[in-house]
Amino acid sequence: MTERTLAIIKPDAVERHLAGKIIQRIEDEGFQIRAMRRIHLSAAQAEGFYAVHRARPFFTSLTQFMSSGPAIVLVLEAADAIKKWRTLMGATDPAKADAGTMRKEFAQSIERNATHGSDAPETAAYEIGYFFAGIDLI
């Protein structure tokens, strides 16, 4: 089943000029990029996006990091896109990520882990809507 997911190339990867390599891998893996935008989240926008994690101890450092510099948000489309993208990203902790995954290759730490991806269809719908109006999706 074709579905869409949100992907983020996080500020650490953008800062290290890895966006092109990550986008190339996305396309090489058969994803269609339906929307893409370079953004710089404000603290309030990062807090809104990650509100589900507000009670977690890492919330403040995560939102500070995500608002620390430019990021690239993308809508990816493929068969089983959510699972496929999460598999390609690898484990949140790059030390535990499988060889060949984005995070094994590009992440610096559990927080500076280069990429984000939606974890379920409901999350994907919310996250895509957070950054893109329907008219932006082609």
Side-chain angles (χ1 to χ4, degrees):
M1 178 177 120
T2 299
E3 65 184 359
R4 289 180 174 172
T5 190
L6 183 85
I8 301 177
I9 302 173
K10 293 183 177 182
D12 59 310
V14 173
E15 177 185 6
R16 293 170 40 231
H17 305 284
L18 297 173
K21 290 178 182 179
I22 292 171
I23 292 167
Q24 186 65 58
R25 289 276 305 276
I26 288 168
E27 291 186 325
D28 289 348
E29 292 293 327
F31 289 96
Q32 296 295 315
I33 297 172
R34 296 298 180 201
M36 181 168 54
R37 176 178 291 136
R38 182 180 167 108
I39 61 169
H40 190 148
L41 292 172
S42 68
Q45 289 169 322
E47 290 169 3
F49 183 74
Y50 286 105
V52 68
H53 298 302
R54 188 170 300 280
R56 303 250 175 118
F58 59 81
F59 178 76
T60 300
S61 65
L62 173 62
T63 57
Q64 287 174 346
F65 163 63
M66 288 301 294
S67 60
S68 69
I72 298 171
V73 291
L74 307 97
V75 176
L76 306 181
E77 184 177 270
D80 206 15
I82 295 167
K83 181 179 179 186
K84 184 176 179 177
W85 175 237
R86 291 186 68 80
T87 299
L88 181 59
M89 282 192 309
T92 303
D93 182 348
K96 297 176 182 173
D98 291 337
T101 63
M102 297 281 199
R103 290 177 171 156
K104 188 65 159 186
E105 187 172 343
F106 300 123
Q108 297 172 304
S109 68
I110 196 166
E111 187 171 272
R112 296 176 64 85
N113 62 11
T115 58
H116 166 88
S118 306
D119 62 1
E122 304 78 28
T123 311
Y126 169 78
E127 291 181 346
I128 289 168
Y130 196 86
F131 293 110
F132 298 98
I135 197 167
D136 293 330
L137 304 174
I138 50 175

